[in-house]
Coordinates of all heavy atoms in Angstrom, one line a residue:
R128 N -1.3 -16.9 8.2 CA -1.6 -16.2 9.4 C -1.6 -14.6 9.2 O -2.5 -13.9 9.6 CB -0.7 -16.5 10.5 CG -0.9 -17.9 11.1 CD 0.1 -18.2 12.2 NE -0.2 -19.5 12.7 CZ 0.8 -20.3 13.3 NH1 2.0 -19.8 13.4 NH2 0.5 -21.5 13.7
V129 N -0.6 -14.2 8.5 CA -0.4 -12.7 8.2 C -1.6 -12.2 7.4 O -2.3 -11.2 7.7 CB 0.9 -12.4 7.5 CG1 0.9 -11.0 7.0 CG2 2.0 -12.6 8.5
I130 N -1.9 -12.9 6.4 CA -3.0 -12.5 5.4 C -4.4 -12.6 6.1 O -5.2 -11.7 6.0 CB -3.0 -13.4 4.2 CG1 -1.7 -13.0 3.4 CG2 -4.2 -13.2 3.3 CD1 -1.3 -14.0 2.4
T131 N -4.6 -13.6 6.9 CA -5.8 -13.8 7.6 C -6.0 -12.6 8.6 O -7.1 -12.0 8.7 CB -5.9 -15.1 8.4 OG1 -5.8 -16.2 7.4 CG2 -7.2 -15.3 9.1
K132 N -5.0 -12.3 9.4 CA -5.0 -11.2 10.3 C -5.3 -9.9 9.6 O -6.1 -9.1 10.1 CB -3.7 -11.1 11.2 CG -3.7 -10.1 12.3 CD -4.9 -10.2 13.2 CE -4.8 -11.4 14.2 NZ -5.9 -11.5 15.1
Y133 N -4.6 -9.6 8.5 CA -4.8 -8.4 7.7 C -6.3 -8.3 7.3 O -6.9 -7.3 7.4 CB -3.8 -8.4 6.5 CG -4.2 -7.4 5.5 CD1 -4.0 -6.1 5.6 CD2 -4.8 -7.8 4.3 CE1 -4.4 -5.1 4.7 CE2 -5.1 -6.9 3.3 CZ -4.9 -5.6 3.5 OH -5.3 -4.7 2.5
S134 N -6.8 -9.4 6.8 CA -8.2 -9.4 6.3 C -9.2 -9.1 7.4 O -10.1 -8.4 7.2 CB -8.5 -10.7 5.6 OG -7.7 -10.9 4.4
E135 N -8.9 -9.7 8.6 CA -9.8 -9.5 9.7 C -9.8 -8.0 10.2 O -10.8 -7.4 10.4 CB -9.4 -10.4 10.9 CG -9.6 -11.8 10.8 CD -9.0 -12.6 11.9 OE1 -8.4 -12.1 12.8 OE2 -9.0 -13.9 11.8
I136 N -8.6 -7.4 10.2 CA -8.5 -6.0 10.7 C -9.2 -5.1 9.6 O -9.9 -4.2 10.0 CB -7.0 -5.7 10.9 CG1 -6.4 -6.4 12.1 CG2 -6.8 -4.2 11.0 CD1 -4.9 -6.3 12.2
K137 N -8.9 -5.4 8.4 CA -9.5 -4.6 7.3 C -11.1 -4.7 7.4 O -11.7 -3.7 7.3 CB -9.0 -5.0 5.9 CG -9.4 -4.1 4.8 CD -8.8 -4.5 3.5 CE -9.2 -3.6 2.4 NZ -8.6 -4.0 1.1
F138 N -11.6 -5.9 7.6 CA -13.0 -6.1 7.6 C -13.6 -5.3 8.8 O -14.6 -4.6 8.7 CB -13.4 -7.5 7.7 CG -14.9 -7.8 7.9 CD1 -15.7 -7.7 6.8 CD2 -15.4 -8.1 9.1 CE1 -17.0 -7.9 6.9 CE2 -16.8 -8.3 9.2 CZ -17.6 -8.2 8.1
R139 N -13.0 -5.4 10.0 CA -13.4 -4.6 11.2 C -13.4 -3.1 10.9 O -14.4 -2.4 11.3 CB -12.6 -5.0 12.4 CG -13.0 -6.3 13.0 CD -12.3 -6.5 14.3 NE -11.8 -7.8 14.4 CZ -10.6 -8.2 14.8 NH1 -9.7 -7.3 15.1 NH2 -10.3 -9.5 14.8
L140 N -12.4 -2.6 10.3 CA -12.3 -1.2 10.0 C -13.4 -0.7 9.1 O -14.1 0.3 9.3 CB -10.9 -0.9 9.4 CG -10.7 0.6 9.0 CD1 -10.8 1.5 10.3 CD2 -9.3 0.8 8.4
I141 N -13.6 -1.5 8.0 CA -14.7 -1.2 7.1 C -16.0 -1.2 7.8 O -16.9 -0.3 7.6 CB -14.7 -2.1 5.9 CG1 -13.4 -1.8 5.0 CG2 -15.9 -2.0 5.0 CD1 -13.1 -2.9 4.0
T142 N -16.3 -2.2 8.6 CA -17.5 -2.3 9.3 C -17.7 -1.0 10.2 O -18.8 -0.5 10.3 CB -17.6 -3.6 10.2 OG1 -17.4 -4.7 9.3 CG2 -18.9 -3.7 10.9
Q143 N -16.7 -0.6 10.9 CA -16.8 0.6 11.8 C -17.0 1.8 11.0 O -17.8 2.7 11.4 CB -15.5 0.7 12.6 CG -15.3 -0.4 13.6 CD -16.4 -0.4 14.7 OE1 -16.9 0.6 15.1 NE2 -16.8 -1.6 15.0
L144 N -16.4 1.9 9.8 CA -16.6 3.1 9.0 C -18.0 3.2 8.5 O -18.6 4.3 8.4 CB -15.6 3.1 7.8 CG -14.2 3.5 8.1 CD1 -13.3 3.2 6.9 CD2 -14.1 4.9 8.6
H145 N -18.6 2.0 8.1 CA -20.0 2.0 7.7 C -20.9 2.5 8.8 O -21.9 3.1 8.5 CB -20.4 0.7 7.1 CG -19.9 0.4 5.8 ND1 -20.4 0.9 4.6 CD2 -18.8 -0.4 5.3 CE1 -19.8 0.5 3.6 NE2 -18.8 -0.2 3.9

Side-chain angles (χ1 to χ4, degrees):
R128 286 181 182 155
V129 168
I130 292 161
T131 302
K132 185 54 74 179
Y133 163 74
S134 296
E135 287 171 8
I136 292 168
K137 187 174 179 182
F138 178 76
R139 280 192 222 132
L140 179 61
I141 290 169
T142 303
Q143 292 300 320
L144 286 173
H145 282 284

